Amino acid sequence: MRSALLAASIWAVSLRCGLAAVQYGGINLAGFDFGCETTGECDTAKVVPPLHEYKGQDGAAQMQHFVKVDGFNAFRLPVAWQFLVESPGSPLIPANMEQYDALVKACLATGSLCIIDIHNYARWDGLIIGQGGPTDEEFANLWSQLAKQYADSPKVAMGIVNEPHEVPSITRWAQTCQTVVDAIRKAGATEHFIMLPGNGYTSASSFVSSGSAAALATVKDTDGSTSKLIFEVHKYLDDDNSGTSIECVSNQIDKFEDLTKFLTDNNRQAILAEVGGGPTTKSCLKDVCELLTYLNDNSAVYMGYLGWGAGSFDQTYELSLTPKGDPRKGTPMKSVPLVTECFARLFSGTGSGNSSSSGGDSSYSGTGSSSGGGNIPPKPSSPNNIPPYPTNTGGSGNGGVPMSTGGAMPNGQGAYQPTTFAISYTSSPPSQSSGAATGSSPGEGQGSSPGGDQSSNTGTQNSGQPPVAAGTGGGEVADDECENDDGEEVGKDECPNDAEEPDSQPASEPVKQPAKQPVTEPAKKPVSQSASEVAEDECEADGGTWVKD
């Protein structure tokens, strides 16, 4: 018992030293939501289950990889409401629920927090829940069935619905959420976290100003408490906050200040359930890292962050965090730089390399020491679209950051040593990244999101080859080596002729977010996800055109 308490104390001290301040870190595994639009219309024929047994990507192997190699402990599992039931208020479809349950069970098998996310934008086929659409009771019926199924699995969290937007009455929406909370608890899921989303695509930027925070603060658990009722917010760092570009324009820390104050003043917590950017883009490797550092530093009110997205996305999707490789074919999975350099490094300390970057008035730096074995993700090379990786001077391991010692940690992910890990950030927007070739981003959306400006998704594009996998311990691949079709490192004389293209290929999967158009209803284009936000300095001019200033 004494040794167990000592281990727990060491773990807690490590957190306070800045290694992993938030409680949960992880990734979204998309696929069961493919075909859903911001109108809440979902074409379930386009669902691609992220499970090998259902002919999709191997989501189970991805989660095992993310836990064992990157040290994550949370996954969000989006699913279309229409995939689970025939109509609002009807029973779960057994065959479809069996598929989704397989993903939930694969998540639970990793020991992680598994967040069920109904990916319908507070709507069913264009009609808003409780405000002209399905009744509160019909929506609560869905959650009652799900809560009953997972009542004995407290690591299943209930994400009420993805990204409500243009909900006429936020106070009425809070009543809908209260009805769902009551139904979940009545069904027996009494210990589970419940995520409460706000209006405006539940954007962190407007969560307070839209009235969402104040309205949702009135939602109570059945015992009158609120500690297990968590505000869910999203944030993307591209120029229109839509999550459609591989370039990030700032760390957006200033957009969190009102929310941080509200959470502190009201003793509440939030989770950043969606955040992402170009997986190898220099601007995002800097800005996303800085934002996650800010959340770590404010972990008293932010319980975690989850990147978007992996699962059924392949590497052609512009924001894909899906690891490369296929263990079933003998090629180990390798996480993309945004995962290793930001999410894993800042959450668990298992990211590769000691990186630094600067641009404009915003910068970050990291120091630390590493030792021991454990699973160390490969260090990417340094093409001109990602920061350089200095030589390791911090002990054995991979680049002078805290590494797993291979032992047991309280959350079962492998122990790490207490260490110092200093990171500084500023909230001033950095200058634009340079050195990338111009070109149009893949998957230019023609779908729409109400109340936004037309987004062409053109701009800088990766100019260097994608990062090449490195050997164990972070050494770079030699100049006379490359990867064959199976992801194995071989001499140049064995390199395939059809070398892998940069991320400028057209996306083969549904895009993350439709381009915003000045229309009252979104165009019917299948998308896998939307995180659209109208820029705070935009308004609608005469004629319906969205303009700045």
Side-chain angles (χ1 to χ4, degrees):
M1 174 64 73
R2 182 174 297 176
S3 61
L5 291 174
L6 179 59
S9 298
I10 292 173
W11 181 67
V13 169
S14 299
L15 296 185
R16 287 194 293 272
C17 288
L19 178 57
V22 297
Q23 186 177 1
Y24 295 104
I27 302 290
N28 285 261
L29 263 72
F32 279 109
D33 56 314
F34 282 5
C36 284
E37 301 193 35
T38 60
T39 60
E41 296 169 284
C42 297
D43 183 354
T44 58
K46 295 175 180 175
V47 164
V48 182
L51 291 164
H52 184 269
E53 58 266 39
Y54 295 108
K55 310 302 181 184
Q57 295 266 10
D58 196 343
Q62 289 179 30
M63 288 186 283
Q64 290 286 345
H65 165 82
F66 283 133
V67 169
K68 294 178 181 178
V69 175
D70 296 313
F72 295 147
N73 65 353
F75 299 98
R76 184 168 175 258
L77 313 174
V79 62
W81 187 0
Q82 289 91 332
F83 183 78
L84 298 178
V85 299
E86 294 285 355
S87 60
S90 64
L92 296 173
I93 301 171
N96 289 3
M97 187 60 206
E98 181 180 0
Q99 294 182 43
Y100 185 68
D101 180 57
L103 184 64
V104 176
K105 287 179 177 175
C107 177
L108 290 172
T110 69
S112 301
L113 183 72
C114 307
I115 305 172
I116 297 175
D117 161 49
I118 304 302
H119 215 75
N120 277 70
Y121 307 90
R123 289 159 165 78
W124 176 285
D125 290 349
L127 300 176
I128 298 172
I129 302 166
Q131 301 185 50
T135 65
D136 290 353
E137 291 71 25
E138 287 174 327
F139 187 46
N141 177 267
L142 168 70
W143 275 111
S144 181
Q145 295 180 76
L146 292 171
K148 184 176 181 180
Q149 177 140 348
Y150 298 110
D152 296 329
S153 301
K155 285 195 173 181
V156 172
M158 315 295 185
I160 289 182
V161 78
N162 181 66
E163 295 183 351
H165 61 91
E166 296 174 298
V167 174
S169 171
I170 189 60
T171 55
R172 180 67 185 82
W173 172 245
Q175 294 174 22
T176 298
C177 291
Q178 183 67 68
T179 301
V180 172
V181 169
D182 293 344
I184 289 172
R185 299 309 191 209
K186 185 176 180 180
T190 57
E191 301 298 321
H192 305 54
F193 285 121
I194 300 176
M195 313 305 183
L196 307 178
N199 214 346
Y201 297 93
T202 202
S203 169
S205 298
S206 60
F207 202 82
V208 175
S209 62
S210 68
S212 296
L216 293 173
T218 66
V219 179
K220 307 294 183 184
D221 223 324
T222 50
D223 61 358
S225 67
T226 59
S227 61
K228 292 188 179 298
L229 305 182
I230 310 300
F231 296 148
E232 177 179 323
V233 297
H234 297 179
K235 197 78 187 75
Y236 289 89
L237 311 185
D238 50 2
D239 60 354
D240 60 356
N241 305 306
S242 65
T244 59
S245 172
I246 63 171
E247 291 291 340
C248 297
V249 296
S250 80
N251 57 35
Q252 303 282 314
I253 289 172
D254 58 321
K255 306 299 184 184
F256 282 76
E257 291 174 354
D258 287 347
L259 176 58
T260 302
K261 184 178 186 304
F262 181 93
L263 296 171
T264 303
D265 292 346
N266 291 275
N267 193 29
R268 298 299 297 267
Q269 283 194 311
I271 186 168
L272 184 60
E274 285 188 26
V275 60
T280 63
T281 309
K282 179 178 178 180
S283 59
C284 293
L285 286 170
K286 181 176 70 67
D287 292 336
V288 173
C289 282
E290 291 170 357
L291 176 56
L292 300 189
T293 300
Y294 172 83
L295 299 180
N296 279 348
D297 288 349
N298 290 276
S299 61
V301 294
Y302 293 105
M303 68 179 292
Y305 38 72
L306 295 99
W308 182 274
S312 288
F313 290 125
D314 62 22
Q315 280 75 25
T316 62
Y317 168 53
E318 42 195 349
L319 300 190
S320 177
L321 301 182
T322 302
K324 294 178 63 176
D326 185 352
R328 294 175 183 269
K329 296 181 180 179
T331 54
M333 287 186 168
K334 304 171 185 177
S335 293
V336 300
L338 189 64
V339 169
T340 60
E341 295 305 312
C342 291
F343 289 95
R345 180 171 67 87
L346 294 173
F347 176 67
S348 64
T350 59
S352 62
N354 179 358
S355 63
S356 64
S357 175
S358 63
D361 297 323
S362 186
S363 63
Y364 71 86
S365 61
T367 61
S369 61
S370 62
S371 63
N375 294 308
I376 301 176
K379 184 181 76 172
S381 58
S382 302
N384 62 7
N385 61 334
I386 58 177
Y389 296 86
T391 303
N392 177 16
T393 58
S396 62
N398 196 8
V401 296
M403 287 295 172
S404 170
T405 59
M409 196 166 75
N411 61 5
Q413 295 171 18
Y416 50 77
Q417 296 178 337
T419 184
T420 58
F421 192 66
I423 295 178
S424 62
Y425 56 82
T426 66
S427 59
S428 302
S431 60
Q432 286 286 358
S433 301
S434 61
T438 58
S440 59
S441 298
E444 293 182 13
Q446 297 179 4
S448 62
S449 173
D453 63 331
Q454 177 65 37
S455 174
S456 63
N457 288 341
T458 59
T460 59
Q461 183 55 284
N462 296 344
S463 59
Q465 290 295 324
V468 183
T472 302
E476 295 183 4
V477 175
D479 291 337
D480 59 349
E481 292 180 344
C482 67
E483 285 188 3
N484 62 17
D485 291 337
D486 293 325
E488 301 170 332
E489 293 168 12
V490 296
K492 278 198 172 180
D493 57 344
E494 301 179 56
C495 295
N497 292 328
D498 53 342
E500 182 179 357
E501 294 293 329
D503 291 340
S504 58
Q505 310 173 45
S508 61
E509 297 291 347
V511 298
K512 168 69 180 69
Q513 165 67 16
K516 295 186 288 186
Q517 298 178 11
V519 293
T520 56
E521 288 295 335
K524 306 299 186 290
K525 183 177 187 297
V527 295
S528 65
Q529 169 69 10
S530 176
S532 176
E533 305 165 14
V534 177
E536 294 180 354
D537 59 348
E538 292 180 345
C539 63
E540 189 171 5
D542 293 340
T545 301
W546 287 84
V547 296
K548 293 182 180 290
D549 304 318

